[in-house]
Amino acid sequence: MQLLFKKRRVYLNLIIGITWVLLVLSKFIIKESINWFDFAMLVLALYYFTQYYFNYKFQYLTITDKEIVKQRIIYKKTIPIKKVRRFYRNKTGDYVIEGSKKKIKINPLEVQPESLIKFKHFTSRLKVAKDIF
């Protein structure tokens, strides 16, 4: 099972990356000199394209039979399902899965509502302490 990012968030990264590239290309069209700021815009475009690809490919959270994985570009948090101790919702409204050593926070505003319903059904089957408001 996967918790999917909202499509708006994923495609917004793509649109921002394209915008940065178009701004740099416009400098070539009007034949202005290229400076350090243009290179910074290309780096930003590369960042947003990478963010788009990574979010599109890996999504927000992946739950397998053995583990719960939250992947980001730089790091990856993994909690084995057998080591999940508690599942709760914090004061800011995030869902938190607490393992023996790690915590994974899930922001419901970044996740598609259909995926969130499936996730809630999954957590209702977990035999751990739950503090959901």
Side-chain angles (χ1 to χ4, degrees):
M1 181 181 97
Q2 284 189 331
L3 262 117
L4 305 174
F5 277 110
K6 286 186 176 178
K7 289 181 182 180
R8 179 176 179 242
R9 176 188 164 96
V10 174
Y11 290 115
L12 185 63
N13 287 328
L14 180 63
I15 291 168
I16 292 172
I18 291 170
T19 303
W20 285 115
V21 169
L22 290 176
L23 287 173
V24 173
L25 290 177
S26 69
K27 287 267 196 155
F28 286 114
I29 292 171
I30 59 175
K31 299 188 184 204
E32 281 189 27
S33 61
I34 304 297
N35 56 23
W36 67 270
F37 186 69
D38 299 323
F39 290 111
M41 286 194 295
L42 285 175
V43 168
L44 281 172
L46 180 64
Y47 168 77
Y48 280 105
F49 285 134
T50 305
Q51 189 75 25
Y52 161 75
Y53 175 75
F54 199 82
N55 289 345
Y56 187 80
K57 182 167 172 88
F58 293 106
Q59 294 300 325
Y60 194 85
L61 189 81
T62 304
I63 301 172
T64 64
D65 294 337
K66 297 179 182 180
E67 62 188 5
I68 301 169
V69 181
K70 183 176 183 181
Q71 295 189 358
R72 294 292 168 255
I73 292 175
I74 299 173
Y75 67 94
K76 172 178 154 179
K77 279 190 179 179
T78 304
I79 298 177
I81 290 183
K82 293 180 180 178
K83 294 191 178 186
V84 173
R85 291 191 305 166
R86 195 172 114 174
F87 174 71
Y88 62 95
R89 194 162 186 182
N90 63 14
K91 293 178 183 177
T92 60
D94 296 339
Y95 294 101
V96 180
I97 300 172
E98 188 176 298
S100 57
K101 295 180 182 177
K102 297 178 184 175
K103 291 182 183 179
I104 293 179
K105 292 182 183 177
I106 299 160
N107 185 350
L109 300 176
E110 295 180 0
V111 177
Q112 287 184 8
E114 301 85 24
S115 295
L116 196 58
I117 291 170
K118 290 178 185 176
F119 175 72
K120 287 179 184 178
H121 179 68
F122 164 77
T123 57
S124 67
R125 294 182 300 169
L126 286 176
K127 295 179 176 119
V128 296
K130 296 175 184 83
D131 302 323
I132 304 294
F133 305 112

